[in-house]
PDB file of all heavy atoms in Angstrom:
ATOM      1  N   PRO B1307      20.451 -26.256  19.308  1.00  0.00           N
ATOM      2  CA  PRO B1307      20.918 -25.298  18.310  1.00  0.00           C
ATOM      3  C   PRO B1307      20.389 -25.673  16.923  1.00  0.00           C
ATOM      4  O   PRO B1307      20.257 -26.865  16.622  1.00  0.00           O
ATOM      5  CB  PRO B1307      22.448 -25.430  18.340  1.00  0.00           C
ATOM      6  CG  PRO B1307      22.773 -26.487  19.314  1.00  0.00           C
ATOM      7  CD  PRO B1307      21.533 -27.076  19.863  1.00  0.00           C
ATOM      8  N   ARG B1341      17.961 -35.410  26.358  1.00  0.00           N
ATOM      9  CA  ARG B1341      18.474 -34.034  26.312  1.00  0.00           C
ATOM     10  C   ARG B1341      19.994 -34.017  26.211  1.00  0.00           C
ATOM     11  O   ARG B1341      20.617 -32.967  26.224  1.00  0.00           O
ATOM     12  CB  ARG B1341      18.042 -33.268  27.565  1.00  0.00           C
ATOM     13  CG  ARG B1341      16.648 -32.717  27.410  1.00  0.00           C
ATOM     14  CD  ARG B1341      16.222 -31.900  28.597  1.00  0.00           C
ATOM     15  NE  ARG B1341      15.045 -31.122  28.259  1.00  0.00           N
ATOM     16  CZ  ARG B1341      15.069 -29.841  27.947  1.00  0.00           C
ATOM     17  NH1 ARG B1341      16.189 -29.175  27.915  1.00  0.00           N
ATOM     18  NH2 ARG B1341      13.944 -29.210  27.650  1.00  0.00           N
ATOM     19  N   VAL B1344      25.065 -36.142  23.239  1.00  0.00           N
ATOM     20  CA  VAL B1344      25.934 -37.277  22.926  1.00  0.00           C
ATOM     21  C   VAL B1344      25.126 -38.551  22.638  1.00  0.00           C
ATOM     22  O   VAL B1344      25.631 -39.501  22.064  1.00  0.00           O
ATOM     23  CB  VAL B1344      26.957 -37.478  24.077  1.00  0.00           C
ATOM     24  CG1 VAL B1344      27.868 -38.656  23.837  1.00  0.00           C
ATOM     25  CG2 VAL B1344      27.794 -36.217  24.220  1.00  0.00           C
ATOM     26  N   HIS B1347      25.125 -37.669  19.023  1.00  0.00           N
ATOM     27  CA  HIS B1347      26.439 -37.224  18.535  1.00  0.00           C
ATOM     28  C   HIS B1347      27.558 -38.058  19.148  1.00  0.00           C
ATOM     29  O   HIS B1347      28.361 -37.549  19.924  1.00  0.00           O
ATOM     30  CB  HIS B1347      26.654 -35.749  18.865  1.00  0.00           C
ATOM     31  CG  HIS B1347      25.799 -34.825  18.059  1.00  0.00           C
ATOM     32  ND1 HIS B1347      26.111 -34.468  16.769  1.00  0.00           N
ATOM     33  CD2 HIS B1347      24.644 -34.198  18.352  1.00  0.00           C
ATOM     34  CE1 HIS B1347      25.174 -33.648  16.314  1.00  0.00           C
ATOM     35  NE2 HIS B1347      24.268 -33.477  17.246  1.00  0.00           N
ATOM     36  N   ASP B1350      28.422 -44.536  19.087  1.00  0.00           N
ATOM     37  CA  ASP B1350      27.299 -45.470  19.293  1.00  0.00           C
ATOM     38  C   ASP B1350      25.985 -44.684  19.369  1.00  0.00           C
ATOM     39  O   ASP B1350      25.179 -44.870  20.268  1.00  0.00           O
ATOM     40  CB  ASP B1350      27.518 -46.343  20.531  1.00  0.00           C
ATOM     41  CG  ASP B1350      27.679 -45.508  21.789  1.00  0.00           C
ATOM     42  OD1 ASP B1350      27.997 -44.309  21.645  1.00  0.00           O
ATOM     43  OD2 ASP B1350      27.482 -46.034  22.894  1.00  0.00           O
ATOM     44  N   VAL B1374      31.288 -42.029   5.193  1.00  0.00           N
ATOM     45  CA  VAL B1374      30.659 -40.703   5.068  1.00  0.00           C
ATOM     46  C   VAL B1374      30.459 -40.353   3.607  1.00  0.00           C
ATOM     47  O   VAL B1374      29.433 -39.812   3.215  1.00  0.00           O
ATOM     48  CB  VAL B1374      31.581 -39.636   5.701  1.00  0.00           C
ATOM     49  CG1 VAL B1374      31.052 -38.246   5.435  1.00  0.00           C
ATOM     50  CG2 VAL B1374      31.706 -39.875   7.175  1.00  0.00           C
ATOM     51  N   ILE B1375      31.448 -40.742   2.797  1.00  0.00           N
ATOM     52  CA  ILE B1375      31.458 -40.325   1.403  1.00  0.00           C
ATOM     53  C   ILE B1375      30.242 -40.859   0.651  1.00  0.00           C
ATOM     54  O   ILE B1375      29.688 -40.171  -0.196  1.00  0.00           O
ATOM     55  CB  ILE B1375      32.782 -40.771   0.753  1.00  0.00           C
ATOM     56  CG1 ILE B1375      33.896 -39.879   1.308  1.00  0.00           C
ATOM     57  CG2 ILE B1375      32.744 -40.705  -0.756  1.00  0.00           C
ATOM     58  CD1 ILE B1375      35.268 -40.433   1.150  1.00  0.00           C
ATOM     59  N   ASP B1378      24.524 -39.624   3.032  1.00  0.00           N
ATOM     60  CA  ASP B1378      23.875 -38.360   2.742  1.00  0.00           C
ATOM     61  C   ASP B1378      24.008 -37.335   3.845  1.00  0.00           C
ATOM     62  O   ASP B1378      23.429 -36.279   3.769  1.00  0.00           O
ATOM     63  CB  ASP B1378      22.372 -38.606   2.523  1.00  0.00           C
ATOM     64  CG  ASP B1378      22.129 -39.509   1.349  1.00  0.00           C
ATOM     65  OD1 ASP B1378      23.039 -39.592   0.515  1.00  0.00           O
ATOM     66  OD2 ASP B1378      21.055 -40.125   1.285  1.00  0.00           O
ATOM     67  N   TYR B1380      26.035 -35.667   7.581  1.00  0.00           N
ATOM     68  CA  TYR B1380      27.199 -35.535   8.444  1.00  0.00           C
ATOM     69  C   TYR B1380      26.674 -35.218   9.829  1.00  0.00           C
ATOM     70  O   TYR B1380      25.825 -34.361  10.001  1.00  0.00           O
ATOM     71  CB  TYR B1380      28.120 -34.403   7.966  1.00  0.00           C
ATOM     72  CG  TYR B1380      29.254 -34.154   8.915  1.00  0.00           C
ATOM     73  CD1 TYR B1380      30.407 -34.927   8.866  1.00  0.00           C
ATOM     74  CD2 TYR B1380      29.169 -33.169   9.894  1.00  0.00           C
ATOM     75  CE1 TYR B1380      31.439 -34.732   9.761  1.00  0.00           C
ATOM     76  CE2 TYR B1380      30.189 -32.964  10.789  1.00  0.00           C
ATOM     77  CZ  TYR B1380      31.325 -33.739  10.713  1.00  0.00           C
ATOM     78  OH  TYR B1380      32.342 -33.551  11.601  1.00  0.00           O
ATOM     79  N   LYS B1386      32.237 -40.312  11.114  1.00  0.00           N
ATOM     80  CA  LYS B1386      33.652 -39.980  11.046  1.00  0.00           C
ATOM     81  C   LYS B1386      34.251 -40.779   9.916  1.00  0.00           C
ATOM     82  O   LYS B1386      33.844 -41.888   9.646  1.00  0.00           O
ATOM     83  CB  LYS B1386      34.338 -40.343  12.359  1.00  0.00           C
ATOM     84  CG  LYS B1386      34.013 -39.383  13.477  1.00  0.00           C
ATOM     85  CD  LYS B1386      34.950 -39.564  14.633  1.00  0.00           C
ATOM     86  CE  LYS B1386      34.512 -40.653  15.556  1.00  0.00           C
ATOM     87  NZ  LYS B1386      33.524 -40.239  16.518  1.00  0.00           N
ATOM     88  N   ASP B1391      40.758 -40.260  10.307  1.00  0.00           N
ATOM     89  CA  ASP B1391      41.040 -40.187  11.742  1.00  0.00           C
ATOM     90  C   ASP B1391      42.284 -40.975  12.113  1.00  0.00           C
ATOM     91  O   ASP B1391      43.139 -40.494  12.856  1.00  0.00           O
ATOM     92  CB  ASP B1391      39.838 -40.707  12.547  1.00  0.00           C
ATOM     93  CG  ASP B1391      38.767 -39.643  12.700  1.00  0.00           C
ATOM     94  OD1 ASP B1391      39.022 -38.504  12.260  1.00  0.00           O
ATOM     95  OD2 ASP B1391      37.694 -39.954  13.230  1.00  0.00           O
ATOM     96  N   SER B1394      45.338 -39.281  10.856  1.00  0.00           N
ATOM     97  CA  SER B1394      45.643 -38.110  11.675  1.00  0.00           C
ATOM     98  C   SER B1394      46.375 -38.507  12.944  1.00  0.00           C
ATOM     99  O   SER B1394      47.399 -37.935  13.297  1.00  0.00           O
ATOM    100  CB  SER B1394      44.359 -37.386  12.080  1.00  0.00           C
ATOM    101  OG  SER B1394      43.606 -37.069  10.963  1.00  0.00           O
ATOM    102  N   LEU B1397      49.928 -39.804  12.123  1.00  0.00           N
ATOM    103  CA  LEU B1397      50.852 -38.726  11.743  1.00  0.00           C
ATOM    104  C   LEU B1397      51.243 -37.899  12.967  1.00  0.00           C
ATOM    105  O   LEU B1397      52.394 -37.496  13.106  1.00  0.00           O
ATOM    106  CB  LEU B1397      50.199 -37.817  10.698  1.00  0.00           C
ATOM    107  CG  LEU B1397      50.408 -38.231   9.246  1.00  0.00           C
ATOM    108  CD1 LEU B1397      49.640 -37.302   8.315  1.00  0.00           C
ATOM    109  CD2 LEU B1397      51.889 -38.191   8.872  1.00  0.00           C
ATOM    110  N   HIS B1408      64.556 -35.854  18.206  1.00  0.00           N
ATOM    111  CA  HIS B1408      65.343 -34.656  17.907  1.00  0.00           C
ATOM    112  C   HIS B1408      65.797 -33.998  19.210  1.00  0.00           C
ATOM    113  O   HIS B1408      66.973 -33.646  19.371  1.00  0.00           O
ATOM    114  CB  HIS B1408      64.486 -33.702  17.065  1.00  0.00           C
ATOM    115  CG  HIS B1408      65.252 -32.630  16.347  1.00  0.00           C
ATOM    116  ND1 HIS B1408      65.475 -31.398  16.903  1.00  0.00           N
ATOM    117  CD2 HIS B1408      65.863 -32.609  15.127  1.00  0.00           C
ATOM    118  CE1 HIS B1408      66.175 -30.651  16.047  1.00  0.00           C
ATOM    119  NE2 HIS B1408      66.415 -31.370  14.951  1.00  0.00           N
ATOM    120  N   ALA B1409      64.849 -33.868  20.152  1.00  0.00           N
ATOM    121  CA  ALA B1409      65.159 -33.219  21.430  1.00  0.00           C
ATOM    122  C   ALA B1409      66.193 -34.038  22.198  1.00  0.00           C
ATOM    123  O   ALA B1409      67.157 -33.483  22.762  1.00  0.00           O
ATOM    124  CB  ALA B1409      63.882 -33.059  22.247  1.00  0.00           C
ATOM    125  N   ARG B1412      69.570 -33.610  20.728  1.00  0.00           N
ATOM    126  CA  ARG B1412      70.145 -32.292  21.062  1.00  0.00           C
ATOM    127  C   ARG B1412      70.730 -32.301  22.469  1.00  0.00           C
ATOM    128  O   ARG B1412      71.815 -31.773  22.714  1.00  0.00           O
ATOM    129  CB  ARG B1412      69.063 -31.212  20.969  1.00  0.00           C
ATOM    130  CG  ARG B1412      68.882 -30.692  19.548  1.00  0.00           C
ATOM    131  CD  ARG B1412      67.657 -29.809  19.460  1.00  0.00           C
ATOM    132  NE  ARG B1412      67.767 -28.608  20.265  1.00  0.00           N
ATOM    133  CZ  ARG B1412      66.715 -27.918  20.737  1.00  0.00           C
ATOM    134  NH1 ARG B1412      65.500 -28.349  20.502  1.00  0.00           N
ATOM    135  NH2 ARG B1412      66.904 -26.837  21.444  1.00  0.00           N
ATOM    136  N   MET B1415      73.957 -34.409  22.553  1.00  0.00           N
ATOM    137  CA  MET B1415      75.060 -33.735  21.878  1.00  0.00           C
ATOM    138  C   MET B1415      75.556 -32.528  22.695  1.00  0.00           C
ATOM    139  O   MET B1415      76.748 -32.259  22.773  1.00  0.00           O
ATOM    140  CB  MET B1415      74.628 -33.285  20.473  1.00  0.00           C
ATOM    141  CG  MET B1415      74.306 -34.413  19.525  1.00  0.00           C
ATOM    142  SD  MET B1415      75.670 -35.552  19.282  1.00  0.00           S
ATOM    143  CE  MET B1415      76.650 -34.658  18.089  1.00  0.00           C
ATOM    144  N   ARG B1419      79.292 -31.954  24.194  1.00  0.00           N
ATOM    145  CA  ARG B1419      80.110 -30.766  23.883  1.00  0.00           C
ATOM    146  C   ARG B1419      80.639 -30.109  25.146  1.00  0.00           C
ATOM    147  O   ARG B1419      81.739 -29.608  25.200  1.00  0.00           O
ATOM    148  CB  ARG B1419      79.270 -29.744  23.101  1.00  0.00           C
ATOM    149  CG  ARG B1419      79.106 -30.059  21.626  1.00  0.00           C
ATOM    150  CD  ARG B1419      78.777 -28.803  20.829  1.00  0.00           C
ATOM    151  NE  ARG B1419      77.602 -28.084  21.314  1.00  0.00           N
ATOM    152  CZ  ARG B1419      76.345 -28.409  21.011  1.00  0.00           C
ATOM    153  NH1 ARG B1419      76.108 -29.431  20.208  1.00  0.00           N
ATOM    154  NH2 ARG B1419      75.351 -27.718  21.481  1.00  0.00           N
TER     155      ARG B1419
ATOM    156  N   HIS O  41      34.416 -34.000  18.110  1.00  0.00           N
ATOM    157  CA  HIS O  41      34.655 -34.964  17.020  1.00  0.00           C
ATOM    158  C   HIS O  41      34.662 -36.393  17.563  1.00  0.00           C
ATOM    159  O   HIS O  41      34.137 -37.302  16.934  1.00  0.00           O
ATOM    160  CB  HIS O  41      35.988 -34.642  16.338  1.00  0.00           C
ATOM    161  CG  HIS O  41      36.283 -35.507  15.146  1.00  0.00           C
ATOM    162  ND1 HIS O  41      35.701 -35.286  13.924  1.00  0.00           N
ATOM    163  CD2 HIS O  41      37.082 -36.585  14.992  1.00  0.00           C
ATOM    164  CE1 HIS O  41      36.136 -36.199  13.068  1.00  0.00           C
ATOM    165  NE2 HIS O  41      36.975 -37.003  13.692  1.00  0.00           N
ATOM    166  N   ALA O  43      33.235 -37.374  20.391  1.00  0.00           N
ATOM    167  CA  ALA O  43      32.233 -37.416  21.467  1.00  0.00           C
ATOM    168  C   ALA O  43      31.808 -38.862  21.741  1.00  0.00           C
ATOM    169  O   ALA O  43      31.599 -39.639  20.829  1.00  0.00           O
ATOM    170  CB  ALA O  43      31.018 -36.596  21.073  1.00  0.00           C
ATOM    171  N   ALA O  45      29.610 -41.164  24.907  1.00  0.00           N
ATOM    172  CA  ALA O  45      28.887 -41.119  26.181  1.00  0.00           C
ATOM    173  C   ALA O  45      29.645 -41.859  27.272  1.00  0.00           C
ATOM    174  O   ALA O  45      29.489 -41.579  28.456  1.00  0.00           O
ATOM    175  CB  ALA O  45      27.496 -41.710  25.998  1.00  0.00           C
ATOM    176  N   LYS O  46      30.477 -42.836  26.858  1.00  0.00           N
ATOM    177  CA  LYS O  46      31.092 -43.713  27.865  1.00  0.00           C
ATOM    178  C   LYS O  46      32.402 -43.169  28.429  1.00  0.00           C
ATOM    179  O   LYS O  46      32.804 -43.532  29.529  1.00  0.00           O
ATOM    180  CB  LYS O  46      31.333 -45.093  27.248  1.00  0.00           C
ATOM    181  CG  LYS O  46      30.041 -45.872  27.064  1.00  0.00           C
ATOM    182  CD  LYS O  46      30.314 -47.242  26.468  1.00  0.00           C
ATOM    183  CE  LYS O  46      29.109 -47.705  25.679  1.00  0.00           C
ATOM    184  NZ  LYS O  46      29.442 -48.027  24.291  1.00  0.00           N
ATOM    185  N   ARG O  53      27.506 -29.801  25.046  1.00  0.00           N
ATOM    186  CA  ARG O  53      26.928 -28.463  24.896  1.00  0.00           C
ATOM    187  C   ARG O  53      27.922 -27.376  25.305  1.00  0.00           C
ATOM    188  O   ARG O  53      28.016 -26.326  24.688  1.00  0.00           O
ATOM    189  CB  ARG O  53      25.658 -28.349  25.730  1.00  0.00           C
ATOM    190  CG  ARG O  53      24.412 -28.429  24.864  1.00  0.00           C
ATOM    191  CD  ARG O  53      23.172 -28.175  25.669  1.00  0.00           C
ATOM    192  NE  ARG O  53      22.699 -29.400  26.302  1.00  0.00           N
ATOM    193  CZ  ARG O  53      21.609 -29.451  27.045  1.00  0.00           C
ATOM    194  NH1 ARG O  53      20.915 -28.378  27.269  1.00  0.00           N
ATOM    195  NH2 ARG O  53      21.226 -30.591  27.574  1.00  0.00           N
ATOM    196  N   ARG O  56      30.553 -27.086  22.622  1.00  0.00           N
ATOM    197  CA  ARG O  56      30.025 -26.364  21.459  1.00  0.00           C
ATOM    198  C   ARG O  56      30.044 -24.861  21.717  1.00  0.00           C
ATOM    199  O   ARG O  56      30.488 -24.075  20.870  1.00  0.00           O
ATOM    200  CB  ARG O  56      28.596 -26.841  21.167  1.00  0.00           C
ATOM    201  CG  ARG O  56      27.955 -26.104  20.037  1.00  0.00           C
ATOM    202  CD  ARG O  56      26.483 -26.432  19.882  1.00  0.00           C
ATOM    203  NE  ARG O  56      25.863 -25.404  19.073  1.00  0.00           N
ATOM    204  CZ  ARG O  56      25.332 -24.296  19.540  1.00  0.00           C
ATOM    205  NH1 ARG O  56      25.319 -24.050  20.839  1.00  0.00           N
ATOM    206  NH2 ARG O  56      24.813 -23.405  18.730  1.00  0.00           N
ATOM    207  N   TYR O 103      68.631 -27.626  11.036  1.00  0.00           N
ATOM    208  CA  TYR O 103      67.762 -28.395  11.949  1.00  0.00           C
ATOM    209  C   TYR O 103      68.168 -29.870  12.001  1.00  0.00           C
ATOM    210  O   TYR O 103      67.939 -30.550  13.007  1.00  0.00           O
ATOM    211  CB  TYR O 103      66.299 -28.284  11.512  1.00  0.00           C
ATOM    212  CG  TYR O 103      65.645 -26.954  11.895  1.00  0.00           C
ATOM    213  CD1 TYR O 103      64.787 -26.307  11.019  1.00  0.00           C
ATOM    214  CD2 TYR O 103      65.875 -26.370  13.142  1.00  0.00           C
ATOM    215  CE1 TYR O 103      64.177 -25.100  11.361  1.00  0.00           C
ATOM    216  CE2 TYR O 103      65.269 -25.167  13.484  1.00  0.00           C
ATOM    217  CZ  TYR O 103      64.438 -24.539  12.601  1.00  0.00           C
ATOM    218  OH  TYR O 103      63.833 -23.349  12.943  1.00  0.00           O
ATOM    219  N   PHE O 108      72.655 -29.890  16.347  1.00  0.00           N
ATOM    220  CA  PHE O 108      73.258 -30.868  17.268  1.00  0.00           C
ATOM    221  C   PHE O 108      74.715 -30.502  17.565  1.00  0.00           C
ATOM    222  O   PHE O 108      75.262 -30.882  18.586  1.00  0.00           O
ATOM    223  CB  PHE O 108      73.210 -32.279  16.657  1.00  0.00           C
ATOM    224  CG  PHE O 108      71.812 -32.744  16.357  1.00  0.00           C
ATOM    225  CD1 PHE O 108      71.407 -33.005  15.062  1.00  0.00           C
ATOM    226  CD2 PHE O 108      70.885 -32.916  17.379  1.00  0.00           C
ATOM    227  CE1 PHE O 108      70.133 -33.418  14.774  1.00  0.00           C
ATOM    228  CE2 PHE O 108      69.589 -33.331  17.103  1.00  0.00           C
ATOM    229  CZ  PHE O 108      69.212 -33.581  15.796  1.00  0.00           C
ATOM    230  N   GLN O 109      75.333 -29.800  16.615  1.00  0.00           N
ATOM    231  CA  GLN O 109      76.752 -29.488  16.763  1.00  0.00           C
ATOM    232  C   GLN O 109      76.980 -28.119  17.384  1.00  0.00           C
ATOM    233  O   GLN O 109      78.120 -27.684  17.519  1.00  0.00           O
ATOM    234  CB  GLN O 109      77.429 -29.536  15.381  1.00  0.00           C
ATOM    235  CG  GLN O 109      77.365 -30.907  14.738  1.00  0.00           C
ATOM    236  CD  GLN O 109      77.506 -30.834  13.216  1.00  0.00           C
ATOM    237  OE1 GLN O 109      77.412 -29.760  12.615  1.00  0.00           O
ATOM    238  NE2 GLN O 109      77.749 -31.978  12.588  1.00  0.00           N
ATOM    239  N   GLY O 110      75.916 -27.431  17.721  1.00  0.00           N
ATOM    240  CA  GLY O 110      76.061 -26.089  18.277  1.00  0.00           C
ATOM    241  C   GLY O 110      76.512 -25.088  17.234  1.00  0.00           C
ATOM    242  O   GLY O 110      77.130 -24.072  17.558  1.00  0.00           O
ATOM    243  N   ARG O 158      24.004 -31.224  -1.647  1.00  0.00           N
ATOM    244  CA  ARG O 158      25.038 -32.020  -2.305  1.00  0.00           C
ATOM    245  C   ARG O 158      26.096 -31.106  -2.878  1.00  0.00           C
ATOM    246  O   ARG O 158      25.783 -30.045  -3.411  1.00  0.00           O
ATOM    247  CB  ARG O 158      24.473 -32.867  -3.460  1.00  0.00           C
ATOM    248  CG  ARG O 158      23.201 -33.606  -3.216  1.00  0.00           C
ATOM    249  CD  ARG O 158      23.294 -34.789  -2.314  1.00  0.00           C
ATOM    250  NE  ARG O 158      24.393 -35.702  -2.556  1.00  0.00           N
ATOM    251  CZ  ARG O 158      24.707 -36.670  -1.691  1.00  0.00           C
ATOM    252  NH1 ARG O 158      24.039 -36.815  -0.569  1.00  0.00           N
ATOM    253  NH2 ARG O 158      25.690 -37.490  -1.938  1.00  0.00           N
ATOM    254  N   PHE O 162      28.977 -35.735  -3.019  1.00  0.00           N
ATOM    255  CA  PHE O 162      29.100 -35.794  -1.563  1.00  0.00           C
ATOM    256  C   PHE O 162      28.026 -34.948  -0.885  1.00  0.00           C
ATOM    257  O   PHE O 162      27.463 -34.049  -1.493  1.00  0.00           O
ATOM    258  CB  PHE O 162      30.478 -35.299  -1.122  1.00  0.00           C
ATOM    259  CG  PHE O 162      31.619 -35.993  -1.812  1.00  0.00           C
ATOM    260  CD1 PHE O 162      32.512 -35.283  -2.584  1.00  0.00           C
ATOM    261  CD2 PHE O 162      31.782 -37.366  -1.687  1.00  0.00           C
ATOM    262  CE1 PHE O 162      33.559 -35.925  -3.230  1.00  0.00           C
ATOM    263  CE2 PHE O 162      32.824 -38.017  -2.319  1.00  0.00           C
ATOM    264  CZ  PHE O 162      33.711 -37.294  -3.103  1.00  0.00           C
ATOM    265  N   SER O 166      29.104 -32.611   4.809  1.00  0.00           N
ATOM    266  CA  SER O 166      30.319 -33.418   5.005  1.00  0.00           C
ATOM    267  C   SER O 166      31.541 -32.722   4.425  1.00  0.00           C
ATOM    268  O   SER O 166      32.595 -32.698   5.042  1.00  0.00           O
ATOM    269  CB  SER O 166      30.182 -34.772   4.310  1.00  0.00           C
ATOM    270  OG  SER O 166      29.469 -35.643   5.117  1.00  0.00           O
ATOM    271  N   ALA O 169      32.466 -29.807   6.690  1.00  0.00           N
ATOM    272  CA  ALA O 169      32.901 -30.256   8.013  1.00  0.00           C
ATOM    273  C   ALA O 169      34.251 -30.966   7.941  1.00  0.00           C
ATOM    274  O   ALA O 169      35.123 -30.754   8.790  1.00  0.00           O
ATOM    275  CB  ALA O 169      31.845 -31.172   8.616  1.00  0.00           C
ATOM    276  N   TYR O 177      43.325 -29.973  11.884  1.00  0.00           N
ATOM    277  CA  TYR O 177      44.327 -30.977  12.190  1.00  0.00           C
ATOM    278  C   TYR O 177      45.717 -30.527  11.720  1.00  0.00           C
ATOM    279  O   TYR O 177      46.696 -30.610  12.460  1.00  0.00           O
ATOM    280  CB  TYR O 177      43.939 -32.305  11.531  1.00  0.00           C
ATOM    281  CG  TYR O 177      45.048 -33.299  11.588  1.00  0.00           C
ATOM    282  CD1 TYR O 177      45.366 -33.929  12.788  1.00  0.00           C
ATOM    283  CD2 TYR O 177      45.820 -33.565  10.468  1.00  0.00           C
ATOM    284  CE1 TYR O 177      46.416 -34.814  12.858  1.00  0.00           C
ATOM    285  CE2 TYR O 177      46.865 -34.445  10.529  1.00  0.00           C
ATOM    286  CZ  TYR O 177      47.168 -35.070  11.721  1.00  0.00           C
ATOM    287  OH  TYR O 177      48.216 -35.929  11.793  1.00  0.00           O
ATOM    288  N   TYR O 188      57.835 -26.700  19.656  1.00  0.00           N
ATOM    289  CA  TYR O 188      59.127 -27.383  19.849  1.00  0.00           C
ATOM    290  C   TYR O 188      60.276 -26.560  19.270  1.00  0.00           C
ATOM    291  O   TYR O 188      61.314 -26.367  19.919  1.00  0.00           O
ATOM    292  CB  TYR O 188      59.117 -28.774  19.210  1.00  0.00           C
ATOM    293  CG  TYR O 188      60.501 -29.387  19.221  1.00  0.00           C
ATOM    294  CD1 TYR O 188      61.129 -29.705  20.430  1.00  0.00           C
ATOM    295  CD2 TYR O 188      61.216 -29.582  18.040  1.00  0.00           C
ATOM    296  CE1 TYR O 188      62.418 -30.218  20.455  1.00  0.00           C
ATOM    297  CE2 TYR O 188      62.498 -30.096  18.056  1.00  0.00           C
ATOM    298  CZ  TYR O 188      63.103 -30.417  19.265  1.00  0.00           C
ATOM    299  OH  TYR O 188      64.371 -30.909  19.295  1.00  0.00           O
ATOM    300  N   SER O 191      62.296 -23.916  21.000  1.00  0.00           N
ATOM    301  CA  SER O 191      63.381 -24.239  21.941  1.00  0.00           C
ATOM    302  C   SER O 191      64.746 -24.238  21.260  1.00  0.00           C
ATOM    303  O   SER O 191      65.741 -24.549  21.882  1.00  0.00           O
ATOM    304  CB  SER O 191      63.127 -25.614  22.571  1.00  0.00           C
ATOM    305  OG  SER O 191      63.352 -26.620  21.596  1.00  0.00           O
TER     306      SER O 191
END
Side-chain angles (χ1 to χ4, degrees):
Chain B
R1341 277 183 165 259
V1344 179
H1347 289 280
D1350 59 340
V1374 173
I1375 288 161
D1378 298 339
Y1380 174 83
K1386 286 194 275 277
D1391 278 355
S1394 305
L1397 271 176
H1408 197 268
R1412 275 170 64 204
M1415 295 302 279
R1419 281 203 305 278
Chain O
H41 184 79
K46 287 181 208 124
R53 256 186 274 181
R56 177 188 163 271
Y103 283 140
F108 300 117
Q109 298 157 347
R158 315 288 314 169
F162 307 119
S166 278
Y177 169 74
Y188 171 65
S191 72

